[in-house]
Structures are given as structure tokens and as C-alpha cells.
Amino acid sequence: MDESTGALAAAIGTRIKQERAALHWTLDRLAEAAGVSRRMLVNVEQGAANPSVGTLLRISDALGLGLPALVEPPTRSAVRVTRAGAGSALWRGEHGGIGILVAGTQPPNVVELWDWTLCAGDIHTSEAHATGTRELLQVRAGTVEMTIDGDLHALGEGDAITFAGDTPHAYRNPGPAEARFVLAVYEPNVGSR
């Protein structure tokens, strides 16, 4: 883990531990509620793991927080500004791509705003999210292939797609040049499951 990834992992681990303690939950109870192993949860709380976005989603949903609240520091203001370059890098591709959570809203109906870069050959596979999750994506540069529940959709610069995020899906850059896209994710009723 590089220094910035390590710092983010430590901050996320601290926040999970604080939220779990506030609920008076044991590690076992949170692990069961989130559908992750106790060992994974211990590693995440200690900042020793770089969990997948899917794992972080399951943990944040179990805590009733939503992913943005898990990675952003708490605030008392109803207005939150994320300065350029200040988002949370939650995914790094094998070929240099990066998925940055730029901003998000609070539960119960969470909206996440992402800035993605896929380098040539990068692929991000996502498990199905919580029931009712919807995603909107617009390609800003390059080409992106979306596989949604087994169906392939090729997108070029300026193209947009809306789909159910509660089915398995993947984002892939099949081209030789970098691909960039913005992604909005809507997850309803966080914390009420």
C-alpha cells in the first residue's frame, strides 16, 4: 500500500470501529450483518487491508452509513465542498486506472458521484449492489465496454448509460487510449435493511 492508500485505509478502519462501537456491536455481529469474514473486518479496522469497493459497500450498508459517510470525515454543515484532487481513491487498476469517490449524500437515500479513469486494458468487475441500486454513467473520453448482467454495451465519448446496479456488472477499457467517465450511484434505503 502506498502512503495515501495506507492513510485512507487507516481512516476507514477507524471510522468503522467507531461506528461499530456506537452500535455496541461485536466484530462477529458486524461481520455477519455485512456478509464479510471476521478476519477481513479485523484487517479493515486495523487499516491493514485494502478492501474492494464491494466489501466497503457491504460494511457501510450494514452500519447504516452509506459509502460516502464511511470515507469522508464527519461534518456538521449541510454543505460539503470537495476540492479538485481531494476525493477518495477506492479502486486502482492493474494498468494504472483509478476510481475516485468524489462526493456523496447521507442515508437513507445515498447518491455517490465518482470520477473514473481506466487505462488501456483495465477492467473493474462489480458484484451486484443492494436491491434498488441504480447507476448512471457518461463517458468523457475514450471508449468503455459495460457488461451488465451478461449483456455487452459499447460506449464512446459522450455516450451515457443507465442501469440497475443490483445485478453483476463490469467496466472495461478495450481501447489503446485512456478512458474517463463520471458515474452516479443511487442506493435507496441505506440502513433500513
Side-chain angles (χ1 to χ4, degrees):
M1 251 188 278
D2 65 27
E3 190 175 321
S4 65
T5 302
L8 179 59
I12 289 170
T14 299
R15 182 72 191 269
I16 290 170
K17 191 172 185 176
Q18 289 171 343
E19 294 297 327
R20 181 177 59 78
L23 292 170
H24 305 289
W25 283 11
T26 64
L27 283 164
D28 291 325
R29 180 160 181 200
L30 178 55
E32 182 180 334
V36 300
S37 72
R38 184 181 195 280
R39 173 173 281 186
M40 170 58 84
L41 192 55
V42 168
N43 288 336
V44 171
E45 282 194 0
Q46 292 176 346
N50 186 13
S52 70
V53 174
T55 298
L56 290 176
L57 276 168
R58 288 192 302 276
I59 294 169
S60 64
D61 286 356
L63 292 169
L65 294 176
L67 187 57
L70 188 63
V71 300
E72 296 173 347
T75 181
R76 297 185 204 288
S77 174
V79 176
R80 177 177 294 237
V81 175
T82 304
R83 298 289 176 202
S88 299
L90 298 180
W91 176 83
R92 294 191 186 274
E94 184 178 321
H95 302 285
I98 188 167
I100 300 172
L101 179 59
V102 177
T105 63
Q106 299 297 312
N109 297 313
V110 176
V111 179
E112 303 165 7
L113 181 62
W114 291 80
D115 181 8
W116 283 83
T117 301
L118 297 178
C119 292
D122 271 335
I123 184 167
H124 173 68
T125 303
S126 181
E127 58 195 48
H129 302 310
T131 302
T133 300
R134 298 294 178 260
E135 299 191 20
L136 300 102
L137 176 153
Q138 185 183 33
V139 178
R140 305 303 294 153
T143 58
V144 175
E145 286 183 349
M146 290 288 314
T147 303
I148 303 164
D149 203 20
D151 294 328
L152 182 66
H153 306 273
L155 305 169
E157 190 171 317
D159 291 344
I161 189 169
T162 304
F163 60 97
D166 54 8
T167 60
H169 52 284
Y171 320 93
R172 178 177 173 268
N173 178 355
E178 181 178 277
R180 296 216 42 205
F181 61 90
V182 292
L183 175 70
V185 179
Y186 168 73
E187 187 179 1
N189 305 313
V190 170
S192 63
R193 292 185 254 293

